[in-house]
Amino acid sequence: GRVRRRAAAWAGRGRGGVNERCGAGGGAWGAMVPAPLGRLAPDPRAGIQLNKPMPGPTAAGGGSGLAAGLSMGFSMVGDGLLRAALPDAPWESLLSSFGYSLGFVIVVLGRQQLFTENTLTVILPLLHHRDARTFGGVLRLWFIVFVANIVGTLIFAWVVSTGGVFPAEAREEFVALGLHSMEKGFGATVLHGIFAGWVIALMVWLL
């Protein structure tokens, strides 16, 4: 197929190079090329890079998803603390929205498994192989990561609501954020979810 032809082209280019030993890597669609490239021309390859392999149902995958759910709680904390500290002004929501990115920054830097990050990466191998085994792996990954994310957010919400970690003013803002997110109708929520998923998938593609 196209991936094998691209790997063969890379292999031919590598044989004509000046380096005796080299590595191979790729991002997005290119992430599927290094594996067949290593099989076609294993001799000059010092190593290959496989971007975000599809994890199985292991404690590590679930633990990473749990950590991501906990980390996403800091999006609520960042936004809520800014809302509690800023004066009541028309530009308040503009500045406080920057705090919402805090959870995503932690997840990305910590390379944690977030469900919305896996809407693109795991679909690429599925579009390439198009078999039941890969489809089952996608469903398995989505189930593990989604459940772990939800459990992590529930734990974070329970700690924030029951403990004395944050002042009462901040907790009131946390509740207000949750109520505000549920005010939209079904259609508006679905539309927001589509655009949000697109932005997250674009971020993963760019990284």
Side-chain angles (χ1 to χ4, degrees):
R2 182 173 58 179
V3 173
R4 185 176 178 83
R5 291 195 299 270
R6 181 64 58 85
W10 284 13
R13 186 177 300 176
R15 291 190 185 100
V18 296
N19 296 324
E20 295 182 358
R21 302 289 287 173
C22 61
W29 281 103
M32 292 185 289
V33 177
L37 174 60
R39 291 190 293 268
L40 288 173
D43 184 55
R45 309 299 162 198
I48 61 175
Q49 173 193 0
L50 299 176
N51 290 6
K52 294 200 73 167
M54 187 181 300
T58 62
S64 179
L66 180 65
L70 293 169
S71 299
M72 286 307 301
F74 287 99
S75 287
M76 177 193 68
V77 170
D79 195 346
L81 290 179
L82 286 175
R83 288 177 182 270
L86 291 172
D88 188 9
W91 44 263
E92 174 197 3
S93 59
L94 177 63
L95 292 182
S96 63
S97 297
F98 284 98
Y100 192 78
S101 62
L102 180 60
F104 290 98
V105 171
I106 297 174
V107 168
V108 171
L109 294 181
R111 296 184 176 274
Q112 299 165 355
Q113 288 287 337
L114 190 63
F115 177 77
T116 47
E117 288 185 357
N118 288 291
T119 53
L120 171 68
T121 310
V122 299
I123 293 299
L124 297 180
L126 178 61
L127 294 176
H128 173 63
H129 295 291
R130 300 181 183 180
D131 55 16
R133 180 181 179 183
T134 307
F135 181 66
V138 171
L139 294 181
R140 182 181 60 213
L141 171 65
W142 280 354
F143 176 79
I144 294 172
V145 174
F146 181 77
V147 171
N149 287 169
I150 295 300
V151 172
T153 55
L154 289 175
I155 294 174
F156 193 95
W158 176 77
V159 172
V160 169
S161 62
T162 59
V165 181
F166 299 100
E169 296 81 4
R171 293 199 299 271
E172 291 177 1
E173 292 294 341
F174 298 158
V175 174
L177 285 171
L179 294 175
H180 177 69
S181 65
M182 294 186 291
E183 290 177 352
K184 304 179 182 68
F186 178 80
T189 301
V190 171
L191 188 61
H192 279 76
I194 292 174
F195 277 98
W198 172 53
V199 171
I200 296 299
L202 178 62
M203 178 190 68
V204 175
W205 183 282
L206 293 176
L207 293 177

